Amino acid sequence: MKLFLLPLLLSQAWALSRAKRSSSFLWFGSNESGAEFGQTNIPGVLGTDYIWPDTAGITTLYNAGMNIFRVPFLMERLVPTNLTGAADATYMADLKATVETITDLGAYAVVDPHNFGRYYGNIITSTSDFAAFWTTVASEFTTNDRVIFDTNNEYHDMTQSLVLSLNQAAITAIRATGATTQYIFAEGNSYSGAWTWSTTNTDLANLTDPSNKLIYEMHQYLDSDGSGTSSTCVSSTIGAERISTATTWLRENGKLAVLGEFAGGANDVCQEAVTGMLDAMEDSSDVWLGGMWWSAGPWWGDYIFSLEPTDGTAYDYYLELLEEYTPGSSGASTSAVSATGTASASKTTSTTISTVGVSTTATATATSTAVAAPYAQCGGEGWTGVTTCVSGYTCTEMNEWYWQCT
C-alpha cells in the first residue's frame, strides 16, 4: 500500500463505520473563497490578485448534499471610493453571477463582506456610512429569497457598543431596501468566536429585526488559539467543549445560530473533534441551524483545510463525514423536523415553529397523517418519511435525493 493513501483510506473506513442517520440541520455547506484574496492589492486584477469561486466546484459540493455557500468578497472592491459611494459595476456583476449560480441550484448564498469590521484597514466607525454600504448591496438582491446577508466577517478589537451599532445599522438598512424575506447573519466581536461569545457578545441579544429572520453567525476552530492556522487540534473533545457556552447563551436568550466557519486538520484527533462538535450542534438543533466548512475555493492548492473538489486536502479527508450532516443525507429519519431542526418524537405533538420571534403553530405526527414543518425534508430518493408540508409550504425538489418544504 502506498503510504500517501493511508490517511484517505482510514478516513473512508472511519466514515463508513458510523451509522447513517438523518441530519437535523436546516443548512450545511461550505465557504467559497477567492474574491477576497489579494487584500494588499486593491482593487487588484481578476485572475491575478483574486478569483471568483468555480461553478463546477460549487456544483460538486451541492451534489454531495450541501445547500448553503458563503461567498466572501472585499468591500473596497465592491464600493471602491467610500462606503457611501456607488458600486463597481464589474465586481458587482461578478458577485451577482456567483450568487445566482448558487441560488439557481436551489441552495442558499451568503453574501459576506470579508472585512473584519474595517474599510481600507480602518475600523468602520460611522453607522450611517455602513448603512449606506448595505443599502447599495441589499438593493441588488431584494427579490432573491435564497440570499442571506452576513453583516461583516469577524469584527475584532473593537468597542463592543460599536459592533452592536454596526450590526443594527446593517439590519435596518437591509430591511429598508425591501429585502424583507431574506435571513440576516449577524457576527460578533472577538472574531465571532463561539468559545468567547457568552463573555464578549452578550449585548448582541439586543439586536432587533422587523422581519424576525435574524440568525447569529459564530465561528470556531479547534487549534490551541482558535485561529484556524494549525492542523493540530487541542483534543478529540475540544469541538463540543468550545461551543457549549454559546449553546447555553442561545437558549437563555431565545436565539438561533449557525457556525459560519469551522474546520479541522486531516488527522484522527481533529476528525473526532469535528464530529463531536457537529454532533453536539445536532443535539442542540433547537438553537443551531447548521454550519459551513472553511473553505473551498479554486486557489487554495494544498491548504490544510481546502474543500475544493476534487483534490483539496479536506475534500479527500472529510467529505464523506461532512455528507452525513447535510440536510439531504441518506438514512434520514421518518420524524417530522421543526424549523430549528429538532426531530419530533414518534407521537402526536403540537409543535410551535419559531424563527426568532415569529411563531406558527402546526400539529405534526409520525403517522401517515403527519406533516413536515417549514424547511424540513419531505421527499427524495429513498425517503420514507412524511411528504406533506404544513399549510402554506410546498414540497419542492432541491435535488434527486432531497425535497424540502419551502
Side-chain angles (χ1 to χ4, degrees), residues 267-302:
N267 56 71
D268 289 347
V269 172
C270 285
Q271 190 177 66
E272 291 182 35
V274 168
T275 302
M277 181 169 67
L278 295 177
D279 285 350
M281 289 167 62
E282 283 206 315
D283 289 343
S284 303
S285 57
D286 55 313
V287 292
W288 286 105
L289 300 187
M292 286 162 276
W293 182 272
W294 180 272
S295 172
W299 278 4
W300 278 122
D302 60 358

Side-chain angles (χ1 to χ4, degrees), residues 209-232:
D209 173 21
S211 293
N212 290 310
K213 303 194 79 170
L214 177 65
I215 310 295
Y216 291 83
E217 182 185 321
M218 304 181 194
H219 297 173
Q220 193 58 64
Y221 294 96
L222 309 178
D223 45 357
S224 59
D225 61 359
S227 64
T229 56
S230 170
S231 61
T232 300

Side-chain angles (χ1 to χ4, degrees), residues 22-170:
S22 68
S23 171
S24 54
F25 288 142
L26 173 60
W27 296 301
F28 199 76
S30 176
N31 285 265
E32 287 289 338
S33 198
E36 84 285 18
F37 279 21
Q39 297 184 16
T40 59
N41 192 5
I42 305 295
V45 177
L46 177 62
T48 299
D49 301 296
Y50 67 94
I51 191 74
W52 290 95
D54 180 61
T55 298
I58 293 171
T59 303
T60 296
L61 295 177
Y62 173 79
N63 288 337
M66 293 185 176
N67 71 340
I68 188 168
F69 299 92
R70 183 169 176 252
V71 183
F73 66 90
L74 287 186
M75 298 171 71
E76 296 88 349
R77 287 190 179 126
L78 189 67
V79 180
T81 305
N82 55 65
L83 286 174
T84 62
D88 177 84
T90 301
Y91 196 78
M92 178 64 85
D94 288 343
L95 174 62
K96 291 175 68 175
T98 301
V99 167
E100 288 168 7
T101 292
I102 294 166
T103 61
D104 285 351
L105 286 171
Y108 286 81
V110 183
V111 177
D112 164 37
H114 211 73
N115 277 68
F116 305 89
R118 285 144 173 85
Y119 183 69
Y120 284 106
N122 299 312
I123 291 174
I124 300 167
T125 57
S126 170
T127 55
S128 61
D129 287 0
F130 196 56
F133 169 83
W134 269 112
T135 298
T136 299
V137 176
S139 295
E140 300 289 335
F141 300 102
T142 56
T143 61
N144 192 336
D145 290 344
R146 292 188 179 274
V147 169
I148 297 172
F149 303 109
D150 179 345
T151 61
N152 218 262
N153 178 69
E154 295 189 351
Y155 304 94
H156 69 90
D157 298 294
M158 297 167 64
T159 304
Q160 186 60 26
S161 60
L162 177 59
V163 173
L164 173 66
S165 297
L166 290 174
N167 270 305
Q168 188 61 64

